[in-house]
Amino acid sequence: MLAEWLATLARHVAECESPPVLVAHSLGCSLVAHWARSEAGRGRVPVKGALLVAPADVDSPAHTPDEVRSFSPIPMARLPFPSVLVSSTDDPYSTVDRSRIFARAWGSRLVMLSGAGHINADAGFGEWPEGRALLTELVERP
């Protein structure tokens, strides 16, 4: 599963005319970390930044279904581009401590929301103007 997702992300980034800002949710956050590690190793990371929302802790047996175990271990290397990690105090797929560890390891600015669940439609999020503002911040970086 991870290999297929990595190939898809690499293909889409390569199709961009200018460096994109990646937006990832849940398992996608681990995907970005894996992709950045593999591309940085090749000297290529054509990305302007990343908004990482509600990272799922695929290293935790308590929080992860078996079908996504191929994403473990989560790379704990600094991302070679600016990033913002948004997490919640009551996310069922990652603890506050693990989200802090991810943010520190990836060099991400951490935004911690109180009681926002997995920060998705099931948790009551729709348009989410705060998320749009964080994305705009990354897009408008020089």
Side-chain angles (χ1 to χ4, degrees):
M1 180 186 225
L2 175 59
E4 183 180 329
W5 283 35
L6 284 168
T8 300
L9 178 55
R11 184 176 71 250
H12 287 292
V13 169
E15 291 171 354
C16 293
E17 292 181 19
S18 60
V21 172
L22 303 177
V23 178
H25 180 266
S26 194
L27 188 58
C29 298
S30 294
L31 171 66
V32 168
H34 281 284
W35 177 83
R37 184 184 64 189
S38 69
E39 291 299 300
R42 296 183 185 111
R44 312 181 300 233
V45 185
V47 168
K48 187 172 184 177
L51 179 60
L52 308 169
V53 181
D57 186 1
V58 296
D59 294 338
S60 168
H63 295 108
T64 309
D66 288 338
E67 56 269 16
V68 297
R69 289 275 173 219
S70 66
F71 285 77
S72 181
I74 298 170
M76 298 304 252
R78 186 173 189 85
L79 298 175
F81 42 79
S83 60
V84 176
L85 188 151
V86 184
S87 192
S88 172
T89 57
D90 64 346
D91 190 326
Y93 299 105
S94 184
T95 66
V96 169
D97 287 341
R98 283 294 281 175
S99 292
R100 286 186 178 129
I101 288 168
F102 297 146
R104 195 173 12 223
W106 296 339
S108 303
R109 180 166 68 91
L110 178 63
V111 175
M112 186 63 66
L113 304 180
S114 180
H118 197 48
I119 314 174
N120 59 10
D122 289 344
F125 285 84
E127 289 293 316
W128 194 34
E130 298 87 358
R132 169 95 42 201
L134 292 169
L135 177 59
T136 299
E137 174 187 314
L138 288 164
V139 168
E140 293 180 352
R141 284 182 69 99

